[in-house]
Amino acid sequence: MKKKTLTASLLLALPLAACSAQTGNEEAEEADNLLSADWQEITDAAKGQEVNMYMWGGNDNINRYLDDWVAQRMKEMHDIELSRVPVSDAQDFINQLLDEKSAGKTAGSIDVIWINGENFKTAKDNGLLFGDFAGQLPNFNEYINQEAPEISHDFGEPVEGLEAPWGKAQFVFVHDGQKVDAPPKSMEQLAEWVQENPGQFTYPALPDFTGSAFIRHVLYETTGGHEQYELPAAEIEDLESRLEPMWEYLNGIEPYLWREGETYPESLAKLDQLYASGEVSMTMSYDPALAASEVLKGRFPESTRTFLLDGGTLSNTHFLSIPFNSSDKAGAMVAINEMMSPEAQTAKLSPENWGDLSALDLEKLSPEQQQAMNGVELGEATLSLEELENNRLPELSSDYIEIIEKGWMENVAKE
């Protein structure tokens, strides 16, 4: 009886396996077709599709820009329903895609992801992304400088068309001009200011993305610049000893931090709350226009201003990509192309919407498009685009990030 049951199960499994294989082949054929189809065919296929965009949901301005500006435009212009699905961390959807890949799920619920850095490398290394789709997008071909290092590489990892640039970020320090007359312009000056103003400064605990970026600035300045870290981390034999000046600096300022460094804000949002309530005199951001946006909302004092270090600050590009098992790949491609349009990028630049720097090459825009983008009122708290452009530092490749985050826990948090 048992033998017969097993045989029946096997017989049942055969058509199921065949059906699964057929579905998988159809999915692969559809993907290949989209990567070679002309744009009109793609837009025709996209009509009526529902595109789920998974992204960090911790900023109200960003959320409103997606819901009120982008989603409405997608519906009106392309007959596409764009739904924003908020996550607390990009690692959440990476883990979901890893599980779906392992389970052989070919029709997933995620169509577009907001991604960069180590999450992109993980997705790329594990085959979680759709394919070389960026070159199919008209706005990518018309308005993007594809040879620029910050476009062709993502934290040192070759992009290879697997994601399309959505915007640029640059680290800025935020301060209350009524409390900080002359903001420090180096890590050495910051240490002096912190000691003279105990309790008025702190940074988010790692692995918070912005807190990690603050520490990378400390690394660059205390260890002799960023050039030495262009090699992969595994190829620097004395890396551990090279990092020592960074840990010494961070431990040196710790007793003078908010709450004497006994605890750190668990996130940038918490640090922003401390600044908004006047508990600290500085915060920080990867969004140069965030301060202006918070002033407009009445959260930050009107005397809020931003500043850079004399040696520059970290800058990177953030991207949009399509998972390997997106159920609506054509709609995802049209949505990403639309979010790269000059109109969408100009709206995104406004602090009233988001304040995110454009991914487009200004020289590739028409005079009218340039005028529209240059005419965006960035607010007094925002530095000029020229000043930001002239003071950019490259990011470390993603293999350093885990080392630094683990080292912070061992050398600073546990001290």
Side-chain angles (χ1 to χ4, degrees):
M1 184 70 176
K2 185 176 181 181
K3 186 176 181 181
K4 289 181 180 178
T5 304
L6 286 172
T7 303
S9 298
L10 287 170
L11 289 171
L12 178 62
L14 287 173
L16 289 175
C19 181
S20 176
Q22 181 179 357
T23 301
N25 290 335
E26 290 173 355
E27 293 282 341
E29 184 178 352
E30 178 197 4
D32 289 340
N33 289 340
L34 287 174
L35 294 176
S36 59
D38 65 43
W39 188 245
Q40 186 61 55
E41 292 174 328
I42 294 171
T43 56
D44 288 344
K47 289 180 180 177
Q49 291 190 345
E50 297 180 7
V51 174
N52 295 320
M53 181 171 175
Y54 280 56
M55 56 182 284
W56 176 67
N59 184 292
D60 291 340
N61 272 22
I62 298 174
N63 295 341
R64 274 197 305 274
Y65 170 69
L66 262 294
D67 296 341
D68 298 343
W69 202 97
V70 177
Q72 289 190 25
R73 189 176 176 91
M74 293 304 303
K75 182 62 177 176
E76 294 170 1
M77 296 185 62
H78 304 286
D79 190 24
I80 292 173
E81 293 282 351
L82 180 69
S83 298
R84 177 181 58 84
V85 181
V87 297
S88 58
D89 192 289
Q91 189 63 48
D92 295 344
F93 59 67
I94 292 295
N95 290 336
Q96 179 176 336
L97 291 172
L98 284 168
D99 291 342
E100 292 178 357
K101 184 81 170 182
S102 178
K105 186 174 182 179
T106 58
S109 59
I110 307 176
D111 300 305
V112 176
I113 52 178
W114 184 19
I115 192 171
N116 75 347
E118 56 189 322
N119 290 311
F120 169 66
K121 181 169 174 53
T122 298
K124 180 182 177 184
D125 289 347
N126 287 277
L128 304 181
L129 303 177
F130 165 39
D132 182 2
F133 75 91
Q136 288 288 83
L137 310 182
N139 288 331
F140 178 82
N141 291 320
E142 188 168 356
Y143 300 115
I144 298 294
N145 179 4
Q146 300 173 31
E147 304 303 318
E150 68 272 17
I151 299 296
S152 63
H153 288 71
D154 183 350
F155 280 69
E157 183 68 27
V159 169
E160 298 175 340
L162 296 172
E163 54 182 5
W166 191 21
K168 293 181 180 179
Q170 185 164 353
F171 192 98
V172 295
F173 289 88
V174 181
H175 72 291
D176 186 337
Q178 291 188 345
K179 296 181 178 180
V180 186
D181 294 332
K185 292 302 188 77
S186 68
M187 285 299 164
E188 181 180 0
Q189 290 180 17
L190 177 62
E192 294 172 357
W193 188 92
V194 167
Q195 293 179 41
E196 294 169 359
N197 300 270
Q200 290 297 297
F201 181 84
T202 188
Y203 58 91
L206 276 62
D208 178 87
F209 185 73
T210 308
S212 179
F214 167 74
I215 290 177
R216 296 200 291 278
H217 288 93
V218 176
L219 172 68
Y220 283 1
E221 184 168 322
T222 60
T223 64
H226 64 83
E227 292 85 359
Q228 61 188 304
Y229 302 111
E230 292 177 357
L231 291 172
E235 296 183 19
I236 301 181
E237 295 180 1
D238 62 340
L239 181 60
E240 187 172 338
S241 61
R242 288 196 198 189
L243 301 183
E244 281 301 320
M246 174 176 64
W247 307 135
E248 291 173 6
Y249 177 96
L250 294 170
N251 284 318
I253 66 172
E254 189 173 62
Y256 306 96
L257 299 179
W258 173 72
R259 293 189 176 177
E260 298 180 339
E262 292 295 325
T263 185
Y264 292 82
E266 65 270 19
S267 65
L268 177 61
K270 177 62 177 176
L271 176 57
D272 285 344
Q273 290 174 10
L274 295 177
Y275 175 79
S277 65
E279 287 193 59
V280 296
S281 298
M282 293 188 197
T283 181
M284 56 193 69
S285 179
Y286 249 121
D287 183 346
L290 175 70
S293 176
E294 295 297 277
V295 170
L296 282 173
K297 290 188 290 187
R299 287 193 65 222
F300 285 3
E302 292 188 4
S303 50
T304 294
R305 297 292 184 270
T306 55
F307 68 95
L308 306 174
L309 302 177
D310 285 341
T313 56
L314 292 168
S315 176
N316 64 64
T317 304
H318 54 93
F319 297 81
L320 298 172
S321 190
I322 304 172
F324 73 100
N325 63 348
S326 162
S327 298
D328 293 293
K329 294 183 177 71
M333 292 172 70
V334 173
I336 292 174
N337 185 69
E338 182 59 45
M339 285 186 276
M340 294 172 63
S341 69
E343 295 78 14
Q345 292 278 306
T346 299
K348 183 165 65 71
L349 179 62
S350 170
E352 293 184 357
N353 293 326
W354 179 350
D356 187 48
L357 300 180
S358 175
L360 309 184
D361 184 343
L362 290 178
E363 294 185 358
K364 292 181 178 292
L365 300 180
S366 69
E368 294 77 17
Q369 291 166 338
Q370 290 183 23
Q371 184 177 5
M373 192 164 286
N374 289 327
V376 173
E377 179 55 56
L378 298 177
E380 289 188 59
T382 307
L383 299 170
S384 71
L385 297 179
E386 182 180 8
E387 183 173 357
L388 292 165
E389 181 80 30
N390 292 335
N391 290 279
R392 288 179 170 170
L393 290 176
E395 288 281 5
L396 286 171
S397 61
S398 57
D399 55 345
Y400 286 91
I401 309 301
E402 184 177 351
I403 294 170
I404 291 174
E405 291 176 353
K406 181 181 178 183
W408 184 81
M409 292 299 299
E410 295 174 348
N411 294 283
V412 180
K414 292 182 180 179
E415 288 292 318

